[in-house]
Amino acid sequence: VQLQASGGGLVQAGGSLRLSCAASGSAFSRNNLAWFRQAPGKEREFVAIITWDRGSTRYIDSVKGRFIISKDNTKNTVFLQMNSLKVEDTAVYYCAAQNNGPYTSAGSYAYWGQGTLVTVSS
């Protein structure tokens, strides 16, 4: 099972970025897919999740209305469109798959991508 995240970079506050996470077939099918982030000196926190069956989505409150999680089943890829970025969104972003437990808990996920750095400047 492999997850490959990409799309991070440096952007000014108010700008946008789209993260991608390409998943191997076994990780993508029948697994919820999520994005987490970890800022320097902080714990890894849940950002968004999309369910494998109905494509239902959930977000952390701080990104609601700004971030959109989606997936392309034909490409086994999950996306995180990030708009109106803020300095406090700066973090390494990770994609994760297969939660067995609370979806907001990093410990619930079996598989992780390598992370992609997002830096938002003021």
Side-chain angles (χ1 to χ4, degrees), residues 13 30-31 56-57 60 68 91-92 95-96:
R30 296 182 175 271
N31 278 310
S56 299
T57 59
I60 192 173
I68 300 171
V92 177
C95 54

Side-chain angles (χ1 to χ4, degrees), residues 5-121:
S6 62
L10 174 64
V11 64
Q12 286 190 329
S16 298
L17 279 176
R18 188 175 82 154
L19 306 183
S20 301
C21 178
S24 62
S26 58
F28 193 87
S29 61
R30 296 182 175 271
N31 278 310
N32 298 332
L33 296 163
W35 287 95
F36 281 72
R37 66 186 180 186
Q38 188 165 17
K42 295 188 177 181
E43 293 188 353
R44 193 169 297 189
E45 70 170 352
F46 168 80
V47 176
I49 188 172
I50 186 164
T51 62
W52 69 270
D53 48 358
R54 296 184 178 183
S56 299
T57 59
R58 297 288 187 273
Y59 300 90
I60 192 173
D61 285 347
S62 60
V63 307
K64 285 180 180 177
R66 300 188 298 122
F67 290 11
I68 300 171
I69 187 171
S70 62
K71 61 189 179 86
D72 184 335
N73 292 334
T74 65
K75 298 181 179 179
N76 285 2
T77 301
V78 61
F79 304 99
L80 185 68
Q81 177 67 42
M82 305 186 296
N83 302 318
S84 301
L85 281 161
K86 303 176 180 181
V87 172
E88 51 264 42
D89 294 319
T90 295
V92 177
Y93 283 71
Y94 299 89
C95 54
Q98 195 178 74
N99 63 301
N100 290 303
Y103 66 83
T104 58
S105 173
S108 296
Y109 292 81
Y111 303 109
W112 291 87
Q114 85 286 7
T116 185
L117 176 63
V118 172
T119 303
V120 184
S121 63

